């Protein structure tokens, strides 16, 4: 059971810093509302010996004996008075000690209850601290807390990595501008401190041979007294890579769409000129326009499939299909293209159905892509 002493692991002097997992925390100033709990006062005189009462009882016995002697009581009477007075003083002393022990027991129970309450509060705060530190240490975003004088009082490993700070260094209690050599971030901290506004910026942090794009958000924590500063850092490498892929994809799609559109425009102008003089040529050009429109439809369908796949909205309807039928269907659509290029397309059929578990539309798309690439 908990005793009146502090819980294990607590020293009389409070630590100036602590490190749990990948989070370093410094105890500087008053980071927030203090934890207050009323405790009953203890009357220390309850536990101290009562020497004065003992002397007072002996004086009473002596006075009783002296009074009996003055009144001329014989020796046996004096002995009786002495024994009677000693008995009364002893009874009074016993009752008084019993009351003292009862009061001391009540005081002990109050202190024990207070100690148990403090111990339960400590265990709760300790578990909450461990959970918070675990979350901060496993975050991919960097979190950094500064005191009103811009001293570092909390930093996780992600923030250290994103800012290019060396591992194993002592950062707590040091001035932020002395460690971070990125002027844009330092100026953003000063602006957020003076203007009381949230600062958002993107910077490039040089870490050895690596240049890392980092998004930084700097704001004030108004709940603390005085207000502290909070920095949240995010690595933008993957976001910029995805943005570059998106731009490249748009450029490629634009290039692919220009070809059939230009062909359709040219064929339409030719048809307009030849429709009265050469009906056969006009018919041929109309067929080419139809072919280019079909190509446009295929490009748009491919883009829609890609968009559905990237958004996670694509749903495959997997079932048993005959792969030979899928191949034959794909071949039929490419026979005119192969003939125009003097390429022969053949299929070596199997005597038995080639059954597979697949989505029929997806299997057809894969087969068409293979044939188209081969052509």
């Amino acid at each position: 059971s908990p005793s009146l002493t502090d819980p294990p692991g607590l020293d009389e002097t409070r630590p100036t810093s602590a490190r749990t997992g990948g989070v370093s925390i410094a105890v500087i100033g008053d980071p927030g509302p203090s934890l207050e709990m009323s405790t009953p006062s203890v009357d220390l005189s309850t536990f101290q010996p009562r020497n004065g009462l003992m002397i007072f009882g002996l004086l009473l016995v002596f006075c009783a004996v002296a009074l009996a002697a003055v009144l001329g009581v014989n020796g046996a009477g004096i002995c009786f008075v002495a024994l009677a007075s000693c008995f009364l003083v002893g009874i009074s002393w016993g009752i008084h000690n019993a009351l003292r022990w009862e009061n001391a027991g009540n005081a002990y129970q109050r202190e024990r209850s207070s100690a148990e309450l403090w111990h339960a509060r400590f265990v709760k705060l300790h578990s909450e601290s461990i959970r918070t530190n675990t979350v901060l240490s496993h975050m991919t975003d960097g979190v950094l807390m500064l005191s009103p004088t811009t001293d570092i009082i909390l930093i996780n490993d992600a923030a250290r990595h994103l800012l290019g700070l060396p591992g194993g260094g002592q950062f707590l209690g040091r001035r932020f501008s002395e460690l971070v050599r990125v002027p844009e971030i330092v100026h953003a901290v000063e602006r957020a401190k003076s203007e009381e506004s949230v600062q958002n910026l993107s910077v490039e942090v040089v870490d050895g041979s690596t240049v890392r794009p980092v998004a930084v958000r700097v704001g004030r924590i108004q709940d603390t007294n005085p207000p502290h500063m909070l920095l949240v850092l995010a690595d933008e490498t993957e976001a910029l890579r995805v943005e570059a892929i998106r731009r490249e994809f748009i450029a490629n799609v634009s290039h692919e769409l220009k070809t059939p559109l230009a062909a359709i425009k040219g064929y339409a102008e030719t048809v307009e000129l030849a429709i009265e003089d050469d009906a056969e040529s006009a018919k041929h050009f109309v067929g080419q326009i139809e072919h280019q429109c079909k190509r446009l439809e295929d490009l748009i369908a491919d883009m829609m499939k890609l968009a559905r796949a990237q958004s996670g909205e694509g749903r495959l309807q997997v079932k048993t299909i005959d792969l030979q039928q899928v191949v034959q269907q794909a071949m039929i659509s490419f026979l005119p293209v192969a003939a125009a290029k003097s390429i022969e397309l053949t299929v070596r059929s199997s005597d038995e159905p080639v059954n597979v578990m697949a989505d029929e539309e997806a299997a057809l798309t894969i087969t068409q892509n293979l044939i188209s690439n081969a052509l």
Side-chain angles (χ1 to χ4, degrees):
S1 61
S3 62
L4 294 178
T5 58
D6 287 335
L10 289 182
D11 298 328
E12 293 181 358
T13 58
R14 298 183 65 183
T16 57
S17 65
R19 181 173 178 86
T20 303
V23 183
S24 299
I25 305 174
V27 181
I28 299 178
D30 180 17
S34 61
L35 179 65
E36 298 179 354
M37 184 170 65
S38 60
T39 56
S41 59
V42 180
D43 184 8
L44 297 180
S45 62
T46 305
F47 303 94
Q48 295 175 353
R50 300 296 179 89
N51 296 326
L53 290 177
M54 184 181 298
I55 295 174
F56 180 71
L58 294 176
L59 287 176
L60 287 178
V61 174
F62 177 77
C63 290
V65 172
L67 181 62
V70 171
L71 294 175
V73 179
N74 56 17
I78 291 175
C79 290
F80 177 77
V81 170
L83 290 175
S85 60
C86 287
F87 177 77
L88 293 176
V89 170
I91 291 296
S92 301
W93 180 259
I95 294 174
H96 177 71
N97 282 338
L99 293 176
R100 285 186 62 208
W101 278 108
E102 183 179 358
N103 293 333
N106 293 334
Y108 171 77
Q109 290 298 331
R110 288 196 301 270
E111 290 301 311
R112 180 187 178 90
S113 300
S114 177
E116 291 176 349
L117 185 58
W118 275 107
H119 185 269
R121 184 71 62 86
F122 166 76
V123 171
K124 180 181 178 182
L125 291 177
H126 184 62
S127 61
E128 290 178 354
S129 175
I130 291 178
R131 287 196 296 268
T132 302
N133 290 336
T134 302
V135 171
L136 289 174
S137 63
H138 286 81
M139 287 180 60
T140 57
D141 290 347
V143 178
L144 194 146
M145 187 176 181
L146 306 179
S147 68
T149 57
T150 69
D151 294 330
I152 298 176
I153 60 177
L154 183 148
I155 183 172
N156 64 350
D157 278 350
R160 180 196 59 77
H161 173 70
L162 293 176
L163 291 174
L165 301 178
Q170 296 295 329
F171 310 119
L172 302 182
R174 299 183 62 181
R175 190 63 58 87
F176 178 76
S177 57
E178 296 176 358
L179 292 174
V180 179
R181 302 298 183 180
V182 184
E184 294 87 350
I185 301 179
V186 176
H187 295 159
V189 170
E190 296 297 332
R191 287 195 302 270
K193 179 181 176 182
S194 59
E195 300 176 6
E196 301 184 6
S197 59
V198 177
Q199 303 292 320
N200 294 285
L201 66 154
S202 296
V203 297
E204 290 185 346
V205 178
V206 180
D207 185 7
S209 59
T210 304
V211 179
R212 185 181 301 107
V214 178
V216 184
R217 185 181 188 275
V218 186
R220 289 163 59 100
I221 305 177
Q222 300 294 345
D223 295 339
T224 57
N225 184 26
H228 289 50
M229 308 294 296
L230 182 66
L231 283 77
V232 180
L233 305 99
D235 191 350
E236 289 190 313
T237 302
E238 182 65 19
L240 293 179
R241 187 185 71 84
V242 172
E243 179 64 20
I245 293 175
R246 187 185 66 83
R247 288 196 299 266
E248 182 181 359
F249 173 76
I250 293 176
N252 290 336
V253 168
S254 300
H255 176 74
E256 292 292 335
L257 291 178
K258 283 181 180 179
T259 302
L261 285 176
I264 291 173
K265 181 180 179 181
Y267 287 137
E269 292 175 352
T270 305
V271 169
E272 185 179 359
L273 296 176
I275 194 170
E276 295 181 357
D277 300 332
D278 192 347
E280 291 296 327
S281 298
K283 185 178 180 181
H284 169 72
F285 292 137
V286 169
Q288 293 296 324
I289 292 175
E290 183 180 1
H291 172 72
Q292 296 298 333
C293 288
K294 181 65 170 59
R295 185 180 176 187
L296 276 177
E297 289 179 355
D298 293 339
L299 287 173
I300 294 174
D302 289 341
M303 286 189 292
M304 294 299 295
K305 292 176 183 177
L306 179 60
R308 284 195 298 269
Q310 289 179 337
S311 63
E313 297 178 357
R315 294 293 183 269
L316 296 178
Q317 297 180 358
V318 180
K319 60 182 180 180
T320 302
I321 62 173
D322 186 356
L323 194 59
Q324 289 195 105
Q325 296 181 2
V326 174
V327 173
Q328 291 288 357
Q329 184 178 354
M331 292 284 285
I332 292 175
S333 61
F334 282 99
L335 285 175
V337 181
K341 294 185 177 184
S342 300
I343 296 175
E344 183 180 359
L345 290 179
T346 59
V347 178
R348 297 195 182 102
S349 301
S350 173
D351 295 335
E352 300 293 334
V354 184
N355 295 327
V356 296
M357 294 293 296
D359 179 271
E360 186 172 2
E361 183 180 355
L364 179 61
T365 301
I366 294 172
T367 308
Q368 289 176 339
N369 288 340
L370 289 173
I371 298 173
S372 175
N373 292 337
L375 293 177

